[in-house]
C-alpha cells in the first residue's frame, strides 16, 4: 500500500528492463460510474500506475483537452469526496498503483488531515499537487508521510540546479519531469536540451524519473524514455477515452513499451 506499492512495482518493472508508462485520466469524465471499468481496462493494458485527476474549476496547469474533461466531470457532479468514496469501494480489486492529481484548493476545502486519512482509507498510493511549491509543502507533506502516501514532486525545465537537487532528494515514488514549458497537451517538438535536462534529473534522483507533458505517441514515449525511466501520458489518453477509442489506447501503451529505443536524431511529428 501507499509509497511502498509504487516503489515495489516500479522496481520490479525496471529490474525486468521494462520502461514505465503512467496514463492520466480525469475522474468523473463520462460519469464516476465509468471509473472502475477504466481502471480495470488500464490495469489489463499493463500500465505501471494510474494518475487520476480531480476536477477543479481553475486548473492552471491544464491545457484545453484536460480542461474540457474537467468541465464535463464537474458537470456530472464529481467532487474530491465522491472520488475518494468511489475508490474506497472499488480499489481493493486492483493492484495497480493509484495516484491522485489535485490542485491544493479542493484539498484545502476538504481538510488537509482528513484528505490524507481518507486517501489512505481509499487505497490511494500517491498524490501530485502541482500548485504547491516546495517552500509551502510543509502544510501537507507531514500528513501524507504519516499515512505512507507518496508525495510526488515536479521539476520544471526552468528549475535551477540547486532547486532540482532539493526536489529530487525529497520526492517520493518518482520524480515528475515536466518536459515542456507551458500547460498540458500534445506537442510536436521538444526543447533542444531535453536530453540533458532528463539526464540531470536522473543523476540527482534516488527514485525513478518519469517525463510528462506533451507526450502523445508511442514514438515520443520511446524517445523520452531513453533518457529517463518512462512517461506519463495525459491529454491523449483523456481524448481517446472520450471518443471511446479503447483499441487505440491499447496500441499507444504497447508501442510506448515495446520496439527499439529511438535515437537522438528523431524529429516530430
Ligand atoms: O496531458 P499531457 O500533455 O500528456 O501531460 C500529462 C498530464 O496531463 C497529467 O500528468 C496532468 C494533468 N493535469 C496536470 C496538472 C499538473 C501536472 C500534471 C498534470
Amino acid at each position: 500500500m501507499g509509497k511502498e506499492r509504487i516503489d515495489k512495482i516500479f522496481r520490479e518493472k525496471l529490474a525486468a528492463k521494462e520502461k514505465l508508462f503512467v496514463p492520466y485520466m480525469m475522474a468523473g469524465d463520462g460519469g464516476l460510474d465509468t471509473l472502475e471499468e477504466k481502471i480495470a481496462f488500464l490495469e489489463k493494458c499493463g500500465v505501471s500506475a494510474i494518475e487520476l485527476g480531480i476536477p477543479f474549476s481553475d486548473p492552471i496547469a491544464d491545457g484545453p483537452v484536460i480542461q474540457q474533461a474537467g468541465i464535463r466531470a464537474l458537470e456530472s457532479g464529481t467532487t474530491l469526496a465522491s472520488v475518494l468514496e468511489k475508490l474506497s469501494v472499488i480499489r481493493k480489486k486492483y493492484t495497480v498503483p493509484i495516484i491522485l492529481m489535485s490542485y491544493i484548493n479542493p484539498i484545502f476545502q476538504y481538510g488537509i488531515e482528513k484528505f490524507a486519512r481518507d486517501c489512505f482509507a481509499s487505497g490511494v498510493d500517491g498524490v501530485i499537487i502541482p500548485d504547491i511549491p516546495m517552500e509551502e509543502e510543509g502544510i501537507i507533506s507531514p500528513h501524507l508521510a504519516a499515512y505512507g502516501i507518496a508525495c510526488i514532486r515536479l521539476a520544471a525545465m526552468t528549475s535551477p540546479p540547486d532547486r532540482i537537487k532539493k526536489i529530487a532528494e525529497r520526492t517520493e515514488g518518482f520524480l515528475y519531469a515536466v518536459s515542456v514549458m507551458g500547460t498540458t497537451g500534445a506537442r510536436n517538438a521538444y526543447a533542444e536540451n531535453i536530453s540533458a535536462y532528463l539526464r540531470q534529473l536522473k543523476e540527482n534522483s534516488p527514485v525513478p524519473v518519469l517525463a510528462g507533458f506533451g507526450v502523445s505517441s508511442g514514438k515520443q514515449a520511446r524517445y523520452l524514455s531513453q533518457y529517463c525511466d518512462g512517461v506519463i501520458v495525459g491529454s491523449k489518453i483523456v481524448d481517446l477515452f472520450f471518443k471511446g477509442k479503447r483499441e487505440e489506447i491499447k496500441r499507444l501503451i504497447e508501442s510506448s513499451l515495446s520496439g527499439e529505443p529511438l535515437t537522438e536524431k528523431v524529429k516530430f511529428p
Side-chain angles (χ1 to χ4, degrees):
M1 278 274 283
K3 182 171 125 31
E4 277 165 26
R5 172 165 21 209
I6 302 174
D7 290 345
K8 179 169 179 284
I9 292 184
F10 283 16
R11 209 183 311 117
E12 285 168 2
K13 287 191 185 274
L14 293 169
K17 298 266 173 275
E18 283 174 42
K19 289 292 180 178
L20 305 173
F21 185 99
V22 176
Y24 165 94
M25 68 170 158
M26 177 64 77
D29 187 15
L32 212 43
D33 288 342
T34 66
L35 182 65
E36 174 169 7
E37 186 267 321
K38 285 174 181 157
I39 292 174
F41 170 75
L42 291 171
E43 179 168 284
K44 220 167 141 223
C45 289
V47 302
S48 318
I50 295 170
E51 184 189 349
L52 191 57
I54 303 297
F56 177 50
S57 55
D58 300 88
I60 50 158
D62 292 353
V65 171
I66 296 181
Q67 276 181 38
Q68 289 304 318
I71 291 169
R72 291 192 296 269
L74 288 170
E75 277 169 356
S76 81
T78 310
T79 61
L80 174 56
S82 66
V83 174
L84 286 171
E85 198 174 318
K86 185 63 149 188
L87 285 175
S88 73
V89 179
I90 62 170
R91 203 271 173 269
K92 285 193 181 63
K93 296 185 227 168
Y94 308 94
T95 54
V96 62
I98 292 185
I99 294 158
L100 282 196
M101 189 308 278
S102 177
Y103 292 94
I104 190 70
N105 190 305
I107 301 175
F108 254 131
Q109 294 293 322
Y110 190 86
I112 288 181
E113 219 276 304
K114 183 168 151 43
F115 170 74
R117 194 182 337 127
D118 291 352
C119 278
F120 175 76
S122 303
V124 169
D125 302 292
V127 300
I128 297 173
I129 308 167
D131 57 347
I132 188 115
M134 196 166 58
E135 290 74 11
E136 310 292 336
E137 65 169 45
I139 57 164
I140 185 159
S141 50
H143 297 289
L144 296 170
Y147 289 99
I149 296 163
C151 183
I152 295 151
R153 275 80 164 182
L154 298 97
M157 295 190 81
T158 48
S159 311
D162 57 327
R163 193 173 177 85
I164 282 184
K165 255 197 162 64
K166 281 190 203 141
I167 296 170
E169 272 165 20
R170 289 187 195 189
T171 194
E172 296 161 319
F174 65 89
L175 175 60
Y176 194 130
V178 178
S179 295
V180 302
M181 312 251 212
T183 55
T184 69
R187 298 286 197 290
N188 54 21
Y190 297 112
E192 278 294 317
N193 60 342
I194 188 76
S195 57
Y197 165 67
L198 293 174
R199 280 200 191 103
Q200 183 197 8
L201 296 184
K202 272 298 289 168
E203 276 164 23
N204 283 285
S205 178
V207 292
V209 174
L210 272 72
F213 280 48
V215 187
S216 60
S217 71
K219 206 170 173 187
Q220 289 177 323
R222 277 182 281 140
Y223 174 73
L224 294 180
S225 293
Q226 355 164 41
Y227 309 114
C228 62
D229 299 293
V231 294
I232 301 151
V233 180
S235 302
K236 186 72 187 180
I237 298 276
V238 168
D239 184 50
L240 292 174
F241 264 134
F242 180 58
K243 293 179 176 150
K245 297 187 172 169
R246 300 290 168 100
E247 274 309 305
E248 265 189 58
I249 295 179
K250 222 172 128 192
R251 278 204 297 275
L252 169 62
I253 297 170
E254 274 166 13
S255 103
S256 298
L257 293 175
S258 61
E260 289 300 299
L262 297 171
T263 67
E264 239 172 292
K265 292 181 202 82
V266 167
K267 287 255 187 311
F268 296 109

